[in-house]
Amino acid sequence: MEIDASSVVLTSDALTLEKESDLFFHTYSRLPLAIEKGKGAYLYTKSGEKYLDMIAGIGVNALGYGNPKIIKAITDQTKKYIHTSNLFLLEPQFRLADKLIELTGLSKVFFSNSGAEANDGAIKLARKWATQFSPIKSDHKTEVLSLTNGFHGRTYGALTLTPKAKYHEGFYPLLPSTGTIQFNDGEDLRAKVSDKTAAVFVEFVQGEGGICALQKSFVELLFELSVKHHFLIVADEVQAGCGRTGDFFSYMNFGVTPDIVTAAKPLGGGLPLGAIIGGKRVEEAFTKGSHGTTFGGNPVAAAAGLALIEEMLEKNLMTQAKEVGAYFKWKLDEMRRNHLQITAIRQIGLMIGISVSRDASYYVQKALKQGLIINATNTNVIRLLPPLIISKKEVDQAVKILDKIFKGEWLEGLTESAK
């Protein structure tokens, strides 16, 4: 299917890129698609085009679009109440928190609105623990570290822990007493942590960083040093969590348990919901009034989140993520043999990164013309985060389109060389 992106779906005067520019701060590079509805792994525009969505709302729509169980959970809860506040005992919160504790073996939950907010809250929790509950009693035990190429969000604390200059420009000064460790560099890890370290934030699988996993040896050293220097380990599972890697959280593949886990994106079944999940070391650190939120743990979002988890477990979607992800990798490896533009393919469950030899945004635009929605990250990586319900047939469809794009790029190169 060949689609002219210049005329795609801009049929409504109210939904054009020009109108978007008039209405909103210029923070997003939006695709020229006016979305009418979604079903399964597909999005449909107002003018009738159908797109295979391989980014699933940037990792949010784990069950695709229109899942009946999530819709029923949302509908049933809205008939009872949409919002009260966290001053009351709310059954959807209780049930979801109980399920998260059951799945992780941790002991306390705080619900937020987003992943960035969860990470900001986790910074507060770590510093509160370090200065008041750590075996090392010191007012200077406030340092919070993260890894290069990580992404933790865009609020000030989360932004500080996201060590990319393009995100920091114009926003200084950032949060003090922070620093960065080289990804998977054990020697740098040893050099950077100390008795002043309160916490180290890590993504066991980096999403924005190009779908890169921590090495087991680095993880083992990190946990060893956390015992020596009495600091906390915070697992940011915002993108890699809720079954995407084939485990409920990606750290589970390493056989370890962090002190704090942050989650969001798919957690609310498509509605805004984040969580801080803490273990025994930190369960008394937050006290009444030390943290809070008006909308965090919204009962409708919590009901949708519980439905998401129940559906994942009932339909064995974590196993499917491993199996279909492995199939996807196999098909991409076959394709790669014919295209020198592809320098590497990384896959963990249904997190897939295709490293290419040019700015990956080129492929985003080309794929859009072919009815495929993909994403570019870390400059030269095509990121694929399909819904966990994706079928092998839909994988074949995506690979066929990508193969056509890479072939077309090669022919473009020949044409340019001949000029």
Side-chain angles (χ1 to χ4, degrees), residues 100-412:
L100 290 173
I101 288 169
E102 176 191 331
L103 288 167
T104 62
L106 300 175
S107 57
K108 289 288 187 290
V109 175
F110 177 92
F111 287 121
S112 65
N113 300 285
S114 69
E117 187 183 307
N119 282 325
D120 263 25
I123 294 170
K124 288 179 65 177
L125 179 59
R127 284 183 166 170
K128 187 89 165 1
W129 171 86
T131 55
Q132 296 185 14
F133 296 89
S134 168
I136 299 175
K137 303 300 181 184
S138 171
D139 291 339
H140 301 292
K141 194 172 178 63
T142 59
E143 182 182 60
V144 181
L145 304 174
S146 58
L147 305 185
T148 55
N149 288 326
F151 183 87
H152 300 286
R154 297 179 188 271
T155 52
Y156 252 101
L159 177 68
T160 302
L161 299 186
T162 300
K164 290 189 177 182
K166 70 176 184 177
Y167 295 139
H168 293 176
E169 185 178 349
F171 299 120
Y172 295 102
L174 300 177
L175 199 68
S177 298
T178 55
T180 306
I181 300 163
Q182 290 294 317
F183 184 75
N184 274 334
D185 187 331
E187 291 305 309
D188 197 50
L189 172 62
R190 286 184 186 276
K192 296 289 178 60
V193 298
S194 70
D195 287 352
K196 293 182 179 180
T197 306
V200 177
F201 278 65
V202 298
E203 296 165 278
F204 282 76
V205 179
Q206 290 187 335
E208 297 288 330
I211 319 300
C212 297
L214 287 178
Q215 294 171 356
K216 187 175 182 180
S217 59
F218 184 90
V219 172
E220 290 172 348
L221 178 60
L222 177 64
F223 275 79
E224 176 188 321
L225 293 172
S226 76
V227 174
K228 178 181 178 181
H229 294 293
H230 298 284
F231 61 80
L232 302 175
I233 297 171
V234 183
D236 180 337
E237 293 284 347
V238 171
Q239 188 168 138
C242 297
R244 179 154 293 283
T245 64
D247 294 288
F248 189 74
F249 287 132
S250 65
Y251 72 79
M252 294 173 173
N253 186 51
F254 293 82
V256 296
T257 302
D259 300 291
I260 301 171
V261 177
T262 59
K265 283 194 180 290
L267 183 62
L271 296 179
L273 183 66
I276 304 168
I277 313 167
K280 294 291 184 183
R281 293 175 78 186
V282 299
E283 63 180 16
E284 300 301 327
F286 272 163
T287 54
K288 287 182 175 60
S290 60
H291 198 49
T293 172
T294 297
F295 291 106
N298 171 270
V300 181
L306 182 64
L308 166 88
I309 294 173
E310 289 176 344
E311 186 84 335
M312 285 176 51
L313 296 176
E314 287 172 10
K315 295 190 174 178
N316 209 16
L317 291 180
M318 287 185 280
T319 297
Q320 180 168 321
K322 288 182 180 179
E323 292 175 351
V324 177
Y327 177 78
F328 213 149
K329 173 72 159 52
W330 174 61
K331 296 294 289 187
L332 290 171
D333 282 336
E334 277 191 333
M335 183 186 72
R336 181 189 175 190
R337 286 193 281 270
N338 298 317
H339 303 296
L340 296 177
Q341 311 99 306
I342 303 173
T343 59
I345 295 172
R346 293 178 295 278
Q347 170 264 330
I348 300 111
L350 282 172
M351 291 185 77
I352 299 167
I354 306 171
S355 290
V356 290
S357 56
R358 68 185 298 170
D359 189 326
S361 61
Y362 166 88
Y363 300 100
V364 174
Q365 298 304 319
K366 292 290 184 180
L368 194 65
K369 292 184 178 182
Q370 300 292 328
L372 177 68
I373 299 173
I374 60 176
N375 185 233
T377 186
N378 207 28
T379 305
N380 68 328
V381 178
I382 298 169
R383 176 174 54 173
L384 304 174
L385 299 170
L388 306 189
I389 61 165
I390 200 81
S391 68
K392 290 182 179 179
K393 182 178 179 181
E394 288 160 341
V395 168
D396 290 342
Q397 180 184 346
V399 172
K400 184 177 180 180
I401 292 171
L402 289 170
D403 185 54
K404 182 178 179 181
I405 293 167
F406 284 115
K407 285 177 181 176
E409 181 188 17
W410 179 72
L411 292 173
E412 283 179 14

